[in-house]
Amino acid sequence: MESFLFLLLLLAISIVAKNQSLIFAIAVLLLLKLVGTELKVFSFIQSKGINWGVTIITIAVLAPIASGAIGFKDLADAFKSPYAWVACISGIIVALLAKGGLTLLSEDPHITTALVLGTILAITLFKGVAVGPLIGAGIAYLFMKIFEYIH
């Protein structure tokens, strides 16, 4: 019952914030709870969901290549710009942070609660995007490793 009320509260916040992605996600979870399949389905989603999300985002990023909107000429032209080099290096850093995030979430799942709260706050209050838990976990992992190294 507590989880249902928690989801309803998040749904209300999402509606006030007019965040359609969060509204949709919460509605799906509420529907699964109402249907009564949540025990099996939620466990499956928890174990596979991040990988699905990464796959969907990767498909979206590669779609312009598949459609022909971006080709080798565009790639070559892009690297004539210093901004393209900054973007490339940023992509590398974010991918490495995300790798650390996956490690942290698998080794220390209780940290997920704080990450989810931070993501929800960023989505609802600052119009953020829900990729935050993975990148947030990666950043947290980086700082934890730095802290371990210092102490």
Side-chain angles (χ1 to χ4, degrees), residues 14-129:
S14 304
I15 290 169
V16 170
K18 298 176 183 162
N19 188 299
Q20 293 180 352
S21 296
L22 198 53
I23 292 169
F24 179 76
I26 294 166
V28 167
L29 295 173
L30 284 170
L31 181 65
L32 290 171
K33 284 189 80 56
L34 290 173
V35 172
T37 60
E38 80 266 13
L39 292 178
K40 292 179 184 178
V41 176
F42 288 174
S43 170
F44 185 71
I45 290 171
Q46 283 176 292
S47 68
K48 304 289 184 193
I50 289 185
N51 289 330
W52 293 344
V54 169
T55 300
I56 290 170
I57 289 171
T58 303
I59 290 169
V61 168
L62 295 175
I65 295 170
S67 71
I70 295 176
F72 286 115
K73 182 183 180 319
D74 299 303
L75 179 63
D77 289 345
F79 283 100
K80 294 176 184 171
S81 157
Y83 292 132
W85 286 101
V86 170
C88 183
I89 292 167
S90 296
I92 292 168
I93 291 168
V94 167
L96 292 174
L97 284 173
K99 177 183 173 187
L102 283 174
T103 301
L104 178 63
L105 291 176
S106 65
E107 291 176 359
D108 199 358
H110 81 275
I111 202 78
T112 304
T113 305
L115 291 166
V116 168
L117 176 61
T119 301
I120 290 168
L121 290 172
I123 290 169
T124 56
L125 300 176
F126 307 112
K127 307 286 187 207
V129 179

